[in-house]
Amino acid sequence: MALKWYTVVVDCRDPQAQAHWWAEALDWTVVYDTPDEAVAVPRYALEGPEHEEDPDAWMRRGQGLVFVPVPEGKEVKNRLHLDLAPHTSQDRDAEIQRLLDLGASHVDVGQTEADTFTVLADPEGNEFCVLSSRDG
């Protein structure tokens, strides 16, 4: 029997701000928000008849991002990061600008001009990549 990927947990200083930032960046929604934990999930996880019958059905439908507080700030490059890709119908540069307008920043991790990805960081400095546009 295989394990199911359930969530990615992100240590951060301000779980609520991070959850809301990522929800905005990904067009997701925050479904749980307490001082000890905030959870963002894809909107599709909240759709369908099973969600109407069980408000916690999102927990069984898809991966989410869980943000938990830690006292220390981020000091080194992430060992794990998210790769995001716009759809081929989207303007990649406009999506990058949208993320920058939300509070992301450019990060240099040694990438070159030949690379087909852009490295950004969220407001707490966690790196992520925006890849070339993808179909689906």
Side-chain angles (χ1 to χ4, degrees), residues 43-123:
R43 292 185 190 278
Y44 71 79
L46 303 175
E47 298 171 353
E50 64 276 3
H51 182 70
E52 292 172 15
E53 296 171 15
D54 178 7
D56 292 329
W58 62 268
M59 289 190 264
R60 294 181 293 284
R61 299 236 9 229
Q63 291 75 35
L65 293 171
V66 177
F67 299 89
V68 296
V70 294
E72 68 277 355
K74 181 182 174 303
E75 294 185 23
V76 297
K77 182 180 176 296
N78 295 2
R79 297 288 302 260
L80 174 74
H81 70 266
L82 301 178
D83 283 344
L84 309 178
H87 187 268
T88 54
S89 65
Q90 293 173 287
D91 180 338
R92 180 180 177 276
D93 291 337
E95 283 300 307
I96 290 171
Q97 187 59 53
R98 184 180 69 82
L99 294 167
L100 292 168
D101 291 345
L102 287 173
S105 57
H106 283 281
V107 177
D108 181 357
V109 296
Q111 67 271 31
T112 68
E113 289 186 26
D115 290 323
T116 60
F117 57 88
T118 299
V119 183
L120 300 176
D122 70 17

Side-chain angles (χ1 to χ4, degrees), residues 15-27 30 40 67 84 98-105 120-124 126 128:
Q16 293 69 38
Q18 284 290 91
H20 287 276
W21 189 89
W22 278 98
E24 180 75 18
L26 296 171
D27 193 28
V30 174
F67 299 89
L84 309 178
R98 184 180 69 82
L99 294 167
L100 292 168
D101 291 345
L102 287 173
S105 57
L120 300 176
D122 70 17
E124 286 203 13
N126 299 300
F128 62 96

